[in-house]
């Protein structure tokens, strides 16, 4: 762990000791077994599914660790987006992470449809009335973020899944900024599909594999885009030219998985073994509540853009101020690592696994010192801050 205070676990989580051990174990497999290591690696993705399923409220055969968010979106949209007549458009939000919009717009363009965007009244959050108004009988597929990446707003998953289904839409969710930070119930809520990454709150490492969920009612659906790792495992090495659909969500895998990347996830998931997700969420809310209270008291020049209702916020807090890029760089120089996003958004994520109340208090105190001293004005803009 870097010396100081790390408040950027919503962007890249710290490395667990168990992740290091798992990667070293798989490296040793490679060194000692070479190609024979595949006897141990062949179904590694599938063996992780029960642990992942618990985190997203799914059945093990409904999830698989594979690909990246963007790759998985293309896989799932290609399969579940079926424009017909007037119902042909796709719907996302104008506050989505750009890559989601790139993927959605690709399929809209391919089918001569529109990618419609739910507008934001304040540029940071979504109003329920605007979500409802955008979900119409002209929409074939809806993709919503569980937590908005800039503001940290948490959407009501069961409400909007049910609402979109009532309008006849297919509904997918992006859980990149929520998995590992709060409980999910994708199966019971009835989501058609979902995607996520594992390098934020799950701490699986840079470039760690993503994941996807496909509801059991769709598990007989043939993937529109197919690859050999999604073939039925019992016939995969027959090397036949005809694809035989693999079991469950595993059918949506494409090429050979990166075993060392999967190993990082394998080890990171051990951190969650025995952890009560409701208790983890409660602790996260305690830390973010403290952060919001202190920011209100000590940082009046910064606008709180994260919803204050605990039921409407994820695991990070976002503060907006025109000089926050410089503040973020000054914090790093002081040994405190935040996250910055345009326009002027300082994101702070107190992670229950490794942050304390003292970390939160110290972070706000140092921000106050940086502002009062004018230290931020001395920072040369060095470009993007991840």
């Amino acid at each position: 762990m870097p010396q100081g205070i790390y408040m950027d676990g919503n962007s890249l989580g710290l490395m667990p000791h168990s992740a290091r051990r798992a990667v070293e174990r798989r490296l040793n497999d490679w060194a000692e077994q070479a190609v024979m290591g595949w006897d141990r690696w062949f179904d590694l993705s599938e063996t992780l599914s029960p642990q992942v399923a618990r985190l997203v409220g799914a059945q093990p055969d409904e999830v698989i660790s594979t690909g990246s968010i963007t790759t998985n979106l293309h896989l799932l949209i290609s399969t579940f987006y079926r424009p017909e007549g007037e119902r042909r458009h796709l719907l996302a939000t104008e506050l989505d992470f750009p890559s989601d919009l790139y993927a959605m717009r690709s399929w809209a363009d391919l089918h001569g449809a529109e990618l419609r965007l739910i507008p934001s009244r304040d540029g940071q959050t979504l109003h329920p009335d605007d979500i409802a108004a955008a979900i119409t009988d002209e929409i074939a597929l809806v993709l919503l973020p569980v937590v908005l990446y800039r503001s940290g707003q948490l959407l009501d998953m069961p409400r909007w899944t049910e609402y979109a289904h009532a309008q006849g839409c297919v509904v997918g969710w992006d859980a990149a900024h929520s998995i590992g930070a709060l409980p999910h119930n994708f199966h019971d809520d009835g989501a058609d599909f979902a995607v996520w990454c594992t390098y934020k709150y799950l701490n699986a490492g840079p470039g760690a594999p993503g994941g996807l969920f496909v509801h059991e009612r769709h598990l007989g659906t043939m993937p529109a885009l197919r690859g050999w790792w999604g073939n039925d495992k019992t016939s995969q090495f027959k090397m036949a030219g005809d694809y035989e659909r693999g079991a469950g969500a595993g059918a949506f895998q494409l090429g050979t998985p990166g075993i060392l990347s999967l190993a990082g996830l394998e080890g990171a998931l051990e951190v969650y073994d025995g952890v009560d997700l409701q208790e983890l969420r409660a602790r996260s809310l305690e830390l973010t509540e403290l952060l919001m209270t202190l920011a209100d008291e000590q940082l009046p020049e910064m606008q709180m853009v994260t919803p204050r209702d605990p039921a409407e916020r994820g695991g990070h807090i976002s503060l907006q101020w025109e000089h926050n890029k410089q503040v973020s760089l000054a914090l790093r120089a002081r040994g405190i690592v935040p996250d910055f996003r345009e326009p002027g958004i300082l994101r702070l994520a107190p992670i229950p696994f490794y942050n304390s109340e003292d970390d939160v208090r110290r972070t706000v105190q140092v921000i106050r010192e940086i502002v009062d001293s004018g230290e931020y004005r001395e920072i040369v803009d060095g470009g993007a801050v991840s």
Side-chain angles (χ1 to χ4, degrees):
M1 175 177 176
Q3 295 298 312
I5 299 172
Y6 194 75
M7 288 279 178
D8 204 6
N10 60 319
S11 183
L12 177 66
L14 294 178
M15 183 182 68
H17 296 298
S18 54
R20 179 192 289 273
R21 290 193 297 269
V23 172
E24 290 175 346
R25 182 168 62 250
R26 297 306 176 184
L27 281 170
N28 288 335
D29 287 348
W30 179 24
E32 297 167 5
Q33 300 292 320
V35 72
M36 293 177 288
W38 278 108
D39 292 340
R40 303 181 182 184
W41 308 328
F42 184 59
D43 60 353
L44 180 56
S45 292
E46 287 80 3
T47 64
L48 301 181
S49 290
Q51 293 165 283
V52 174
R54 186 175 77 90
L55 297 178
V56 297
Q59 298 175 1
D61 63 344
E62 292 177 315
V63 303
I64 195 69
S65 298
T66 187
S68 66
I69 284 181
T70 308
T71 300
N72 292 339
L73 274 178
H74 280 298
L75 288 170
L76 294 166
I77 294 170
S78 69
T79 300
F80 295 113
Y81 172 46
R82 292 289 179 263
E84 294 183 9
E86 295 297 315
R87 186 183 295 280
R88 60 182 300 98
H89 305 301
L90 298 103
L91 180 67
T93 94
E94 68 177 16
L95 302 178
D96 283 358
F97 196 81
S99 192
D100 288 10
L101 299 181
Y102 302 161
M104 294 279 280
R105 188 165 282 114
S106 296
W107 290 96
D109 290 348
L110 186 65
H111 287 274
E114 298 174 6
L115 173 58
R116 297 182 178 176
L117 301 178
I118 302 168
S120 170
R121 300 183 184 189
D122 60 7
Q124 304 295 345
T125 59
L126 300 173
H127 192 284
D129 290 349
D130 296 328
I131 299 175
I135 301 175
T136 70
D137 58 7
E138 295 182 338
I139 301 299
L141 185 146
V142 178
L143 178 70
L144 295 171
V146 180
V147 171
L148 276 67
Y149 80 97
R150 277 203 307 245
S151 67
Q153 181 185 13
L154 170 64
L155 299 186
D156 188 333
M157 291 181 282
R159 174 184 179 181
W160 296 117
T161 299
E162 180 181 11
Y163 186 89
H165 280 162
Q167 310 309 311
C169 309
V170 171
V171 188
W173 289 90
D174 180 342
H177 291 82
S178 58
I179 185 172
L182 52 90
H184 300 67
N185 291 291
F186 282 135
H187 177 85
D188 290 346
D189 291 346
D192 293 294
F193 67 86
V195 296
W196 55 83
C197 59
T198 62
Y199 47 79
K200 301 181 189 299
Y201 294 97
L202 286 187
N203 312 302
L212 60 84
F213 161 88
V214 176
H215 198 279
E216 68 172 347
R217 65 179 173 273
H218 298 308
L219 290 185
T221 303
M222 183 67 74
L225 302 177
R226 301 159 205 161
W228 93 300
W229 214 258
N231 194 84
D232 183 81
K233 287 289 187 286
T234 63
S235 63
Q236 187 169 342
F237 278 88
K238 290 181 180 179
M239 301 305 209
D242 293 328
Y243 173 89
E244 294 184 35
R245 190 192 191 286
F252 287 86
Q253 296 173 96
L254 291 178
T256 306
I259 297 303
L260 298 182
S261 294
L262 271 176
L265 175 58
E266 179 185 22
L269 287 171
E270 293 180 25
V271 174
Y272 283 84
D273 289 346
V275 172
D276 185 308
L277 297 179
Q278 295 293 345
E279 292 181 2
L280 183 71
R281 170 63 169 162
R283 178 58 175 160
S284 173
L285 288 174
E286 288 177 357
L287 292 170
T288 52
E289 183 69 30
L290 175 61
L291 179 52
M292 298 180 91
T293 299
L294 293 174
D296 286 342
E297 294 172 352
Q298 301 180 37
L299 304 173
E301 55 273 277
M302 295 188 183
Q303 178 191 0
M304 181 71 62
V305 299
T306 304
R308 295 177 183 275
D309 184 343
E312 295 181 6
R313 71 173 185 265
H316 73 269
I317 298 301
S318 295
L319 301 169
Q320 186 172 36
W321 191 44
E322 60 182 325
H323 303 296
N324 268 344
K325 186 171 188 179
Q326 288 72 32
V327 170
S328 69
L329 292 168
L331 280 169
R332 290 189 175 196
R334 294 270 205 112
I336 298 175
V337 181
D339 182 73
F340 174 79
R341 289 291 181 269
E342 297 288 359
I345 300 292
L346 187 69
R347 301 193 307 174
L348 300 167
I351 306 297
F353 286 122
Y354 49 78
N355 288 127
S356 66
E357 287 91 345
D358 287 345
D359 291 339
V360 172
R361 293 188 182 96
R362 178 61 180 162
T363 298
V364 175
Q365 176 189 346
V366 172
I367 294 174
R368 185 70 261 161
E369 293 173 0
I370 289 170
V371 174
D372 285 345
S373 67
E375 181 180 337
Y376 67 92
R377 297 192 184 97
E378 301 173 6
I379 299 295
V380 176
D381 187 345
V385 180
S386 61

